[in-house]
Amino acid sequence: MDARFTAEQDDIRRTLRELLRKRCRPEDLRAALDTPAGHDPLLWTALAGRLGLPGLALPEAYGGAGRAVTDLALACEETGRALAPSPLTATAVLAAPLLLALGTAAQRARLLPRIASGELTAALAVPGPRLATALALTGGNGGDWAGGGRAGGVQARRTGEGWRLYGQAEQVLDGHSAGLLLAAAHTGGFARSRILLFLVRGDAAGLVRVRQTALDATRPQARLELRDVAAELLGEDGEGSEDGEGSEGSEGSEGAADAGDAVLAALAAVGDTAAAVLACEAVGAADRALERTVEYVKRREPFGRAIGSFQAVKHRLADVYVRVQAARSAAYYAAWAAAHGERAGALALAQGLEALRAAAAEGIQLHGGIGFTWEDDAHLYFKRAWGDELLFGPVHRLRAPAADTAHLFEHGHEQGHGHEQGQGRVTA
């Protein structure tokens, strides 16, 4: 792994930071949060038209820049510093890679160029608070997390006129404003249960979208109600019968099962990449939260002396600095690994969120009374840390799959059991 940035990567970071410094100041951020969309359309136009961020990791054949996901992660580190509210995460990090991986040639040609240009925004709609499960961040993503039968969620049924969706999805990032929805739905009945992805237009008849009040207002979320909504299957539609089940042992049934497996695999792959990008975003936010706190303690003189000169304050900020730098190393490695077929996103995201949580908490504490007020921006970083953990975590579950793979707890349990029974001894 070469940890040095290329000249192009330095240009992207420098240009983006300068743009956000001018267009996403604290007053601009708060004004954007109060709009119906939850973000500034003019800022999104600049990010998409001037910098091409939505298409940064898309192939050139679809109007993208053809860059690696590493470049997108570095760009998101800068948007994380500013807590910039935009459809970038929902569109470029979650939806576009799924379209690229699962879409037919016609679907990719129709949709990806519009996404790359910023003309079309997209969102991944997953039922309930199950985004982390769907993306396989906290374990396997098999099972009925999309809802089945009368268990709620979203169900898909094929009719003579095409696919129809029923159900509800909550906590959909930018779901209230996205022009295109990728809805995960349960289909196939009990015997051949599977989860597929469907394309739903943002203005489809029967679709009700309501923006929700979220802990982190910089990540707008929506509740979607799908009331007999027309949808298009993402990928080849190879179902054999009208109800989508086909005859047992038929090629159509096997093809549907393969399609369901492909969807779960694609979601898991996108989940790891998204975790790496989100880890870089969290590191950017943590770095800025620490930077703001250092600036404040240098100028705050309640006793005729800057509080930053006290040794206890220095120690606390030094601890945060070490956390942020360690998280940055993990995030950069995860972004590099994602571009080279390796998976380290969940662990990096766990470390990034912990660093952001620590930086935000210390920032609030060391800002004193002003840190607890709505007028100061310290609480926005704290809410970003906890909001992301609610969406993509929690942290201990992000780490659990890696611990299970390494048999950490099994090994310790076996050793302890043997020691208690007098059948062995614990060794280092």
Side-chain angles (χ1 to χ4, degrees), residues 258-324:
D258 292 342
D261 292 341
V263 167
L264 297 180
L267 283 168
V270 169
D272 182 77
T273 301
V277 174
L278 290 166
C280 286
E281 193 178 71
V283 165
D287 188 58
R288 179 54 186 153
L290 174 60
E291 186 178 276
R292 291 181 73 258
T293 305
V294 171
E295 292 170 355
Y296 181 80
V297 299
K298 283 182 177 180
R299 66 174 184 268
R300 175 64 173 157
E301 298 182 1
F303 311 109
R305 174 182 173 185
I307 60 175
S309 65
F310 291 99
Q311 196 73 10
V313 174
K314 292 180 180 180
H315 285 170
R316 292 171 69 167
L317 291 177
D319 288 342
V320 174
Y321 176 80
V322 171
R323 282 175 174 261
V324 173

Short mmCIF file of all heavy atoms in Angstrom, two decimals, residues 258-324:
data_model
loop_
_atom_site.label_atom_id
_atom_site.label_comp_id
_atom_site.label_asym_id
_atom_site.label_seq_id
_atom_site.Cartn_x
_atom_site.Cartn_y
_atom_site.Cartn_z
N ASP A 258 -30.94 -17.43 -7.95
CA ASP A 258 -29.62 -16.86 -8.24
C ASP A 258 -29.66 -15.34 -8.18
O ASP A 258 -28.71 -14.70 -7.69
CB ASP A 258 -29.15 -17.32 -9.62
CG ASP A 258 -28.84 -18.81 -9.66
OD1 ASP A 258 -28.65 -19.40 -8.58
OD2 ASP A 258 -28.80 -19.37 -10.76
N ALA A 259 -30.75 -14.76 -8.67
CA ALA A 259 -30.88 -13.30 -8.63
C ALA A 259 -30.90 -12.80 -7.18
O ALA A 259 -30.29 -11.78 -6.85
CB ALA A 259 -32.13 -12.86 -9.37
N GLY A 260 -31.62 -13.53 -6.32
CA GLY A 260 -31.66 -13.15 -4.92
C GLY A 260 -30.29 -13.22 -4.27
O GLY A 260 -29.90 -12.33 -3.50
N ASP A 261 -29.53 -14.26 -4.58
CA ASP A 261 -28.17 -14.39 -4.05
C ASP A 261 -27.28 -13.26 -4.55
O ASP A 261 -26.44 -12.73 -3.82
CB ASP A 261 -27.58 -15.74 -4.45
CG ASP A 261 -28.28 -16.91 -3.77
OD1 ASP A 261 -28.95 -16.68 -2.74
OD2 ASP A 261 -28.17 -18.04 -4.27
N ALA A 262 -27.45 -12.90 -5.83
CA ALA A 262 -26.64 -11.83 -6.41
C ALA A 262 -26.93 -10.50 -5.73
O ALA A 262 -26.03 -9.68 -5.51
CB ALA A 262 -26.90 -11.72 -7.91
N VAL A 263 -28.19 -10.27 -5.40
CA VAL A 263 -28.57 -9.03 -4.71
C VAL A 263 -27.91 -8.96 -3.34
O VAL A 263 -27.33 -7.92 -2.96
CB VAL A 263 -30.10 -8.93 -4.58
CG1 VAL A 263 -30.48 -7.83 -3.60
CG2 VAL A 263 -30.73 -8.67 -5.93
N LEU A 264 -27.96 -10.04 -2.57
CA LEU A 264 -27.35 -10.04 -1.24
C LEU A 264 -25.84 -9.86 -1.33
O LEU A 264 -25.24 -9.14 -0.51
CB LEU A 264 -27.69 -11.34 -0.52
CG LEU A 264 -29.17 -11.59 -0.22
CD1 LEU A 264 -29.35 -12.92 0.51
CD2 LEU A 264 -29.76 -10.46 0.61
N ALA A 265 -25.23 -10.49 -2.33
CA ALA A 265 -23.77 -10.34 -2.49
C ALA A 265 -23.42 -8.91 -2.87
O ALA A 265 -22.44 -8.34 -2.36
CB ALA A 265 -23.28 -11.31 -3.56
N ALA A 266 -24.21 -8.31 -3.75
CA ALA A 266 -23.95 -6.93 -4.15
C ALA A 266 -24.14 -5.97 -2.99
O ALA A 266 -23.35 -5.03 -2.80
CB ALA A 266 -24.86 -6.54 -5.31
N LEU A 267 -25.16 -6.19 -2.18
CA LEU A 267 -25.39 -5.34 -1.01
C LEU A 267 -24.22 -5.44 -0.02
O LEU A 267 -23.79 -4.44 0.55
CB LEU A 267 -26.70 -5.74 -0.32
CG LEU A 267 -27.99 -5.27 -0.99
CD1 LEU A 267 -29.19 -5.97 -0.36
CD2 LEU A 267 -28.15 -3.76 -0.86
N ALA A 268 -23.71 -6.66 0.17
CA ALA A 268 -22.58 -6.83 1.08
C ALA A 268 -21.33 -6.12 0.56
O ALA A 268 -20.59 -5.50 1.32
CB ALA A 268 -22.30 -8.32 1.29
N ALA A 269 -21.09 -6.24 -0.76
CA ALA A 269 -19.91 -5.58 -1.34
C ALA A 269 -20.04 -4.06 -1.23
O ALA A 269 -19.07 -3.37 -0.86
CB ALA A 269 -19.76 -6.00 -2.80
N VAL A 270 -21.21 -3.55 -1.55
CA VAL A 270 -21.43 -2.11 -1.44
C VAL A 270 -21.34 -1.66 0.02
O VAL A 270 -20.84 -0.57 0.32
CB VAL A 270 -22.79 -1.73 -2.06
CG1 VAL A 270 -23.16 -0.29 -1.72
CG2 VAL A 270 -22.76 -1.92 -3.56
N GLY A 271 -21.81 -2.51 0.93
CA GLY A 271 -21.75 -2.17 2.34
C GLY A 271 -20.33 -1.96 2.82
O GLY A 271 -20.04 -1.01 3.57
N ASP A 272 -19.41 -2.82 2.40
CA ASP A 272 -18.02 -2.66 2.83
C ASP A 272 -17.41 -1.39 2.26
O ASP A 272 -16.72 -0.65 2.97
CB ASP A 272 -17.20 -3.88 2.40
CG ASP A 272 -15.76 -3.78 2.86
OD1 ASP A 272 -15.50 -4.04 4.06
OD2 ASP A 272 -14.89 -3.43 2.04
N THR A 273 -17.68 -1.14 0.97
CA THR A 273 -17.16 0.09 0.35
C THR A 273 -17.75 1.32 1.03
O THR A 273 -17.04 2.29 1.32
CB THR A 273 -17.50 0.11 -1.14
OG1 THR A 273 -16.91 -1.04 -1.78
CG2 THR A 273 -16.97 1.36 -1.80
N ALA A 274 -19.06 1.28 1.29
CA ALA A 274 -19.71 2.41 1.94
C ALA A 274 -19.14 2.64 3.33
O ALA A 274 -18.95 3.78 3.76
CB ALA A 274 -21.22 2.16 2.03
N ALA A 275 -18.85 1.56 4.05
CA ALA A 275 -18.28 1.70 5.39
C ALA A 275 -16.92 2.38 5.33
O ALA A 275 -16.60 3.22 6.19
CB ALA A 275 -18.16 0.33 6.05
N ALA A 276 -16.11 2.04 4.33
CA ALA A 276 -14.81 2.68 4.19
C ALA A 276 -14.96 4.18 3.90
O ALA A 276 -14.24 5.01 4.47
CB ALA A 276 -14.02 2.01 3.07
N VAL A 277 -15.91 4.51 3.03
CA VAL A 277 -16.16 5.92 2.71
C VAL A 277 -16.68 6.66 3.94
O VAL A 277 -16.24 7.78 4.25
CB VAL A 277 -17.15 6.03 1.54
CG1 VAL A 277 -17.53 7.49 1.30
CG2 VAL A 277 -16.55 5.44 0.27
N LEU A 278 -17.61 6.05 4.65
CA LEU A 278 -18.17 6.67 5.85
C LEU A 278 -17.12 6.82 6.95
O LEU A 278 -17.17 7.76 7.74
CB LEU A 278 -19.35 5.85 6.36
CG LEU A 278 -20.61 5.89 5.48
CD1 LEU A 278 -21.57 4.77 5.89
CD2 LEU A 278 -21.30 7.24 5.59
N ALA A 279 -16.17 5.89 7.00
CA ALA A 279 -15.09 6.00 7.97
C ALA A 279 -14.24 7.24 7.68
O ALA A 279 -13.88 7.98 8.60
CB ALA A 279 -14.22 4.74 7.94
N CYS A 280 -13.96 7.48 6.41
CA CYS A 280 -13.20 8.68 6.05
C CYS A 280 -14.01 9.94 6.36
O CYS A 280 -13.46 10.94 6.83
CB CYS A 280 -12.85 8.65 4.56
SG CYS A 280 -11.52 7.49 4.15
N GLU A 281 -15.30 9.87 6.13
CA GLU A 281 -16.17 11.00 6.44
C GLU A 281 -16.16 11.28 7.94
O GLU A 281 -16.09 12.44 8.38
CB GLU A 281 -17.58 10.70 5.97
CG GLU A 281 -18.51 11.89 5.96
CD GLU A 281 -19.88 11.53 5.44
OE1 GLU A 281 -20.61 10.82 6.16
OE2 GLU A 281 -20.22 11.93 4.33
N ALA A 282 -16.24 10.23 8.75
CA ALA A 282 -16.20 10.40 10.21
C ALA A 282 -14.87 10.97 10.67
O ALA A 282 -14.83 11.81 11.58
CB ALA A 282 -16.47 9.05 10.89
N VAL A 283 -13.79 10.55 10.04
CA VAL A 283 -12.47 11.08 10.39
C VAL A 283 -12.39 12.57 10.07
O VAL A 283 -11.85 13.36 10.85
CB VAL A 283 -11.37 10.30 9.64
CG1 VAL A 283 -10.05 11.04 9.70
CG2 VAL A 283 -11.22 8.91 10.24
N GLY A 284 -12.95 12.97 8.91
CA GLY A 284 -12.96 14.39 8.58
C GLY A 284 -13.73 15.20 9.60
O GLY A 284 -13.28 16.28 10.02
N ALA A 285 -14.89 14.68 10.02
CA ALA A 285 -15.69 15.38 11.03
C ALA A 285 -14.95 15.43 12.36
O ALA A 285 -14.96 16.47 13.05
CB ALA A 285 -17.04 14.69 11.19
N ALA A 286 -14.31 14.33 12.76
CA ALA A 286 -13.58 14.30 14.03
C ALA A 286 -12.41 15.27 14.00
O ALA A 286 -12.14 15.96 14.99
CB ALA A 286 -13.09 12.87 14.31
N ASP A 287 -11.72 15.33 12.88
CA ASP A 287 -10.58 16.23 12.76
C ASP A 287 -11.02 17.69 12.89
O ASP A 287 -10.38 18.49 13.57
CB ASP A 287 -9.89 16.01 11.42
CG ASP A 287 -8.59 16.77 11.30
OD1 ASP A 287 -7.70 16.57 12.13
OD2 ASP A 287 -8.47 17.59 10.36
N ARG A 288 -12.14 18.01 12.26
CA ARG A 288 -12.63 19.38 12.35
C ARG A 288 -13.15 19.69 13.76
O ARG A 288 -12.94 20.80 14.28
CB ARG A 288 -13.76 19.60 11.33
CG ARG A 288 -14.36 20.99 11.36
CD ARG A 288 -13.32 22.08 11.21
NE ARG A 288 -13.89 23.41 11.39
CZ ARG A 288 -13.24 24.47 11.82
NH1 ARG A 288 -11.93 24.36 12.11
NH2 ARG A 288 -13.83 25.64 11.95
N ALA A 289 -13.82 18.74 14.40
CA ALA A 289 -14.28 18.95 15.77
C ALA A 289 -13.10 19.22 16.71
O ALA A 289 -13.16 20.11 17.58
CB ALA A 289 -15.08 17.74 16.25
N LEU A 290 -12.01 18.46 16.54
CA LEU A 290 -10.81 18.69 17.35
C LEU A 290 -10.20 20.04 17.03
O LEU A 290 -9.78 20.78 17.94
CB LEU A 290 -9.81 17.56 17.09
CG LEU A 290 -8.44 17.70 17.75
CD1 LEU A 290 -8.57 17.75 19.26
CD2 LEU A 290 -7.53 16.54 17.33
N GLU A 291 -10.15 20.37 15.76
CA GLU A 291 -9.57 21.64 15.34
C GLU A 291 -10.33 22.82 15.94
O GLU A 291 -9.73 23.78 16.43
CB GLU A 291 -9.60 21.70 13.81
CG GLU A 291 -8.91 22.89 13.19
CD GLU A 291 -8.98 22.81 11.67
OE1 GLU A 291 -8.13 22.13 11.08
OE2 GLU A 291 -9.90 23.43 11.08
N ARG A 292 -11.67 22.75 15.95
CA ARG A 292 -12.48 23.81 16.52
C ARG A 292 -12.21 23.96 18.02
O ARG A 292 -12.14 25.07 18.55
CB ARG A 292 -13.97 23.51 16.31
CG ARG A 292 -14.46 23.60 14.89
CD ARG A 292 -15.94 23.32 14.80
NE ARG A 292 -16.73 24.44 15.32
CZ ARG A 292 -17.30 24.49 16.50
NH1 ARG A 292 -17.17 23.47 17.34
NH2 ARG A 292 -17.99 25.56 16.89
N THR A 293 -12.06 22.82 18.68
CA THR A 293 -11.82 22.85 20.13
C THR A 293 -10.46 23.46 20.45
O THR A 293 -10.33 24.26 21.38
CB THR A 293 -11.92 21.44 20.71
OG1 THR A 293 -13.18 20.86 20.36
CG2 THR A 293 -11.80 21.46 22.22
N VAL A 294 -9.46 23.08 19.69
CA VAL A 294 -8.12 23.64 19.91
C VAL A 294 -8.13 25.15 19.69
O VAL A 294 -7.54 25.92 20.47
CB VAL A 294 -7.09 22.96 18.98
CG1 VAL A 294 -5.75 23.68 19.04
CG2 VAL A 294 -6.91 21.50 19.36
N GLU A 295 -8.83 25.59 18.65
CA GLU A 295 -8.93 27.03 18.40
C GLU A 295 -9.59 27.75 19.57
O GLU A 295 -9.17 28.84 19.96
CB GLU A 295 -9.72 27.28 17.11
CG GLU A 295 -9.02 26.83 15.85
CD GLU A 295 -9.94 26.87 14.63
OE1 GLU A 295 -11.14 27.17 14.81
OE2 GLU A 295 -9.45 26.64 13.51
N TYR A 296 -10.60 27.11 20.13
CA TYR A 296 -11.35 27.75 21.22
C TYR A 296 -10.53 27.83 22.50
O TYR A 296 -10.49 28.88 23.15
CB TYR A 296 -12.65 26.98 21.48
CG TYR A 296 -13.50 27.59 22.56
CD1 TYR A 296 -14.31 28.68 22.31
CD2 TYR A 296 -13.47 27.08 23.86
CE1 TYR A 296 -15.09 29.26 23.31
CE2 TYR A 296 -14.24 27.64 24.87
CZ TYR A 296 -15.05 28.73 24.58
OH TYR A 296 -15.80 29.30 25.58
N VAL A 297 -9.87 26.73 22.89
CA VAL A 297 -9.14 26.75 24.15
C VAL A 297 -7.92 27.66 24.09
O VAL A 297 -7.39 28.08 25.12
CB VAL A 297 -8.71 25.32 24.57
CG1 VAL A 297 -9.93 24.43 24.77
CG2 VAL A 297 -7.75 24.70 23.56
N LYS A 298 -7.46 27.99 22.89
CA LYS A 298 -6.34 28.92 22.77
C LYS A 298 -6.76 30.36 23.05
O LYS A 298 -5.95 31.16 23.53
CB LYS A 298 -5.75 28.83 21.36
CG LYS A 298 -4.87 27.62 21.11
CD LYS A 298 -4.30 27.67 19.70
CE LYS A 298 -3.36 26.50 19.44
NZ LYS A 298 -2.80 26.54 18.06
N ARG A 299 -8.02 30.69 22.76
CA ARG A 299 -8.45 32.08 22.92
C ARG A 299 -9.32 32.30 24.16
O ARG A 299 -9.56 33.45 24.54
CB ARG A 299 -9.18 32.56 21.68
CG ARG A 299 -10.50 31.88 21.42
CD ARG A 299 -11.23 32.53 20.24
NE ARG A 299 -12.55 31.96 20.02
CZ ARG A 299 -12.82 30.95 19.21
NH1 ARG A 299 -11.83 30.40 18.52
NH2 ARG A 299 -14.05 30.50 19.07
N ARG A 300 -9.81 31.24 24.78
CA ARG A 300 -10.67 31.39 25.96
C ARG A 300 -9.82 31.61 27.20
O ARG A 300 -8.98 30.77 27.55
CB ARG A 300 -11.52 30.13 26.12
CG ARG A 300 -12.38 30.09 27.36
CD ARG A 300 -13.41 31.18 27.36
NE ARG A 300 -14.33 31.03 28.48
CZ ARG A 300 -15.04 32.02 28.99
NH1 ARG A 300 -14.94 33.23 28.48
NH2 ARG A 300 -15.85 31.81 30.00
N GLU A 301 -10.01 32.78 27.87
CA GLU A 301 -9.20 33.14 29.03
C GLU A 301 -10.11 33.52 30.20
O GLU A 301 -10.26 34.70 30.55
CB GLU A 301 -8.26 34.29 28.70
CG GLU A 301 -7.26 33.97 27.61
CD GLU A 301 -6.30 35.11 27.35
OE1 GLU A 301 -6.43 36.15 28.05
OE2 GLU A 301 -5.44 34.98 26.47
N PRO A 302 -10.73 32.52 30.85
CA PRO A 302 -11.63 32.85 31.97
C PRO A 302 -10.92 33.30 33.24
O PRO A 302 -11.51 33.95 34.09
CB PRO A 302 -12.37 31.53 32.20
CG PRO A 302 -11.40 30.48 31.76
CD PRO A 302 -10.65 31.09 30.62
N PHE A 303 -9.63 32.94 33.38
CA PHE A 303 -8.90 33.28 34.60
C PHE A 303 -7.64 34.08 34.28
O PHE A 303 -6.64 34.00 34.97
CB PHE A 303 -8.51 32.01 35.36
CG PHE A 303 -9.64 31.04 35.54
CD1 PHE A 303 -9.66 29.85 34.84
CD2 PHE A 303 -10.70 31.35 36.38
CE1 PHE A 303 -10.72 28.97 34.99
CE2 PHE A 303 -11.75 30.47 36.55
CZ PHE A 303 -11.77 29.28 35.84
N GLY A 304 -7.71 34.85 33.19
CA GLY A 304 -6.55 35.62 32.79
C GLY A 304 -5.49 34.78 32.12
O GLY A 304 -4.36 35.21 31.92
N ARG A 305 -5.88 33.58 31.76
CA ARG A 305 -4.93 32.64 31.14
C ARG A 305 -5.71 31.71 30.24
O ARG A 305 -6.78 31.22 30.62
CB ARG A 305 -4.20 31.87 32.23
CG ARG A 305 -3.29 30.76 31.75
CD ARG A 305 -2.67 30.05 32.94
NE ARG A 305 -1.91 28.87 32.54
CZ ARG A 305 -1.35 28.01 33.37
NH1 ARG A 305 -1.49 28.20 34.69
NH2 ARG A 305 -0.68 26.97 32.94
N ALA A 306 -5.21 31.45 29.04
CA ALA A 306 -5.91 30.57 28.11
C ALA A 306 -6.06 29.18 28.71
O ALA A 306 -5.08 28.62 29.25
CB ALA A 306 -5.16 30.49 26.79
N ILE A 307 -7.26 28.62 28.64
CA ILE A 307 -7.47 27.31 29.25
C ILE A 307 -6.68 26.23 28.52
O ILE A 307 -6.40 25.16 29.08
CB ILE A 307 -8.97 26.94 29.28
CG1 ILE A 307 -9.55 26.88 27.86
CG2 ILE A 307 -9.74 27.91 30.14
CD1 ILE A 307 -10.99 26.41 27.83
N GLY A 308 -6.30 26.50 27.28
CA GLY A 308 -5.49 25.53 26.55
C GLY A 308 -4.09 25.39 27.10
O GLY A 308 -3.37 24.46 26.73
N SER A 309 -3.69 26.28 27.98
CA SER A 309 -2.34 26.20 28.57
C SER A 309 -2.30 25.26 29.76
O SER A 309 -1.21 24.91 30.23
CB SER A 309 -1.87 27.60 28.99
OG SER A 309 -2.69 28.12 30.03
N PHE A 310 -3.45 24.85 30.25
CA PHE A 310 -3.48 23.94 31.40
C PHE A 310 -3.12 22.52 30.95
O PHE A 310 -3.60 22.03 29.92
CB PHE A 310 -4.85 23.96 32.07
CG PHE A 310 -5.15 25.25 32.77
CD1 PHE A 310 -5.94 26.21 32.16
CD2 PHE A 310 -4.64 25.50 34.03
CE1 PHE A 310 -6.22 27.40 32.79
CE2 PHE A 310 -4.92 26.70 34.68
CZ PHE A 310 -5.71 27.66 34.06
N GLN A 311 -2.33 21.85 31.76
CA GLN A 311 -1.83 20.54 31.39
C GLN A 311 -2.95 19.52 31.23
O GLN A 311 -2.91 18.68 30.32
CB GLN A 311 -0.84 20.05 32.46
CG GLN A 311 0.03 18.88 32.01
CD GLN A 311 1.09 19.32 31.01
OE1 GLN A 311 1.29 20.49 30.80
NE2 GLN A 311 1.76 18.35 30.40
N ALA A 312 -3.96 19.59 32.05
CA ALA A 312 -5.06 18.62 31.96
C ALA A 312 -5.79 18.75 30.63
O ALA A 312 -6.19 17.75 30.03
CB ALA A 312 -6.03 18.84 33.13
N VAL A 313 -5.98 19.98 30.18
CA VAL A 313 -6.63 20.20 28.89
C VAL A 313 -5.76 19.68 27.76
O VAL A 313 -6.25 19.04 26.81
CB VAL A 313 -6.95 21.70 28.70
CG1 VAL A 313 -7.49 21.97 27.29
CG2 VAL A 313 -7.94 22.16 29.75
N LYS A 314 -4.48 19.91 27.84
CA LYS A 314 -3.55 19.41 26.81
C LYS A 314 -3.59 17.89 26.72
O LYS A 314 -3.58 17.31 25.63
CB LYS A 314 -2.13 19.86 27.13
CG LYS A 314 -1.90 21.36 26.98
CD LYS A 314 -0.45 21.70 27.31
CE LYS A 314 -0.18 23.20 27.18
NZ LYS A 314 1.23 23.53 27.50
N HIS A 315 -3.63 17.24 27.88
CA HIS A 315 -3.66 15.78 27.89
C HIS A 315 -4.93 15.25 27.22
O HIS A 315 -4.88 14.29 26.44
CB HIS A 315 -3.58 15.27 29.33
CG HIS A 315 -2.21 15.38 29.92
ND1 HIS A 315 -1.95 15.17 31.26
CD2 HIS A 315 -1.02 15.68 29.36
CE1 HIS A 315 -0.66 15.32 31.49
NE2 HIS A 315 -0.08 15.65 30.35
N ARG A 316 -6.05 15.87 27.52
CA ARG A 316 -7.31 15.40 26.96
C ARG A 316 -7.32 15.57 25.44
O ARG A 316 -7.78 14.69 24.70
CB ARG A 316 -8.47 16.14 27.61
CG ARG A 316 -8.63 15.78 29.08
CD ARG A 316 -9.63 16.65 29.80
NE ARG A 316 -11.00 16.43 29.36
CZ ARG A 316 -12.06 16.89 30.02
NH1 ARG A 316 -11.90 17.59 31.13
NH2 ARG A 316 -13.27 16.65 29.56
N LEU A 317 -6.84 16.70 24.98
CA LEU A 317 -6.81 16.94 23.54
C LEU A 317 -5.78 16.05 22.85
O LEU A 317 -5.98 15.64 21.70
CB LEU A 317 -6.52 18.42 23.26
CG LEU A 317 -7.65 19.37 23.66
CD1 LEU A 317 -7.23 20.81 23.42
CD2 LEU A 317 -8.92 19.06 22.89
N ALA A 318 -4.69 15.76 23.55
CA ALA A 318 -3.69 14.85 22.97
C ALA A 318 -4.27 13.45 22.79
O ALA A 318 -4.02 12.78 21.79
CB ALA A 318 -2.45 14.80 23.86
N ASP A 319 -5.07 13.01 23.75
CA ASP A 319 -5.72 11.70 23.63
C ASP A 319 -6.67 11.68 22.42
O ASP A 319 -6.72 10.69 21.68
CB ASP A 319 -6.50 11.38 24.91
CG ASP A 319 -5.60 11.06 26.08
OD1 ASP A 319 -4.42 10.75 25.84
OD2 ASP A 319 -6.07 11.13 27.23
N VAL A 320 -7.42 12.74 22.24
CA VAL A 320 -8.32 12.81 21.08
C VAL A 320 -7.52 12.80 19.79
O VAL A 320 -7.89 12.14 18.81
CB VAL A 320 -9.22 14.06 21.16
CG1 VAL A 320 -10.04 14.21 19.89
CG2 VAL A 320 -10.12 13.98 22.38
N TYR A 321 -6.42 13.54 19.77
CA TYR A 321 -5.58 13.59 18.56
C TYR A 321 -5.09 12.20 18.17
O TYR A 321 -5.12 11.82 16.99
CB TYR A 321 -4.40 14.53 18.80
CG TYR A 321 -3.42 14.57 17.65
CD1 TYR A 321 -3.67 15.35 16.53
CD2 TYR A 321 -2.25 13.83 17.69
CE1 TYR A 321 -2.78 15.39 15.47
CE2 TYR A 321 -1.34 13.86 16.64
CZ TYR A 321 -1.62 14.64 15.53
OH TYR A 321 -0.73 14.66 14.48
N VAL A 322 -4.65 11.43 19.16
CA VAL A 322 -4.17 10.08 18.89
C VAL A 322 -5.30 9.22 18.32
O VAL A 322 -5.11 8.46 17.36
CB VAL A 322 -3.59 9.44 20.17
CG1 VAL A 322 -3.31 7.96 19.95
CG2 VAL A 322 -2.32 10.17 20.59
N ARG A 323 -6.50 9.34 18.88
CA ARG A 323 -7.66 8.59 18.38
C ARG A 323 -7.96 8.95 16.93
O ARG A 323 -8.22 8.07 16.11
CB ARG A 323 -8.89 8.89 19.24
CG ARG A 323 -8.95 8.16 20.58
CD ARG A 323 -10.15 8.65 21.36
NE ARG A 323 -10.36 7.91 22.58
CZ ARG A 323 -11.22 6.92 22.74
NH1 ARG A 323 -11.96 6.54 21.72
NH2 ARG A 323 -11.35 6.30 23.89
N VAL A 324 -7.93 10.23 16.62
CA VAL A 324 -8.26 10.68 15.27
C VAL A 324 -7.22 10.18 14.27
O VAL A 324 -7.57 9.71 13.18
CB VAL A 324 -8.36 12.22 15.22
CG1 VAL A 324 -8.52 12.70 13.79
CG2 VAL A 324 -9.55 12.69 16.06
#
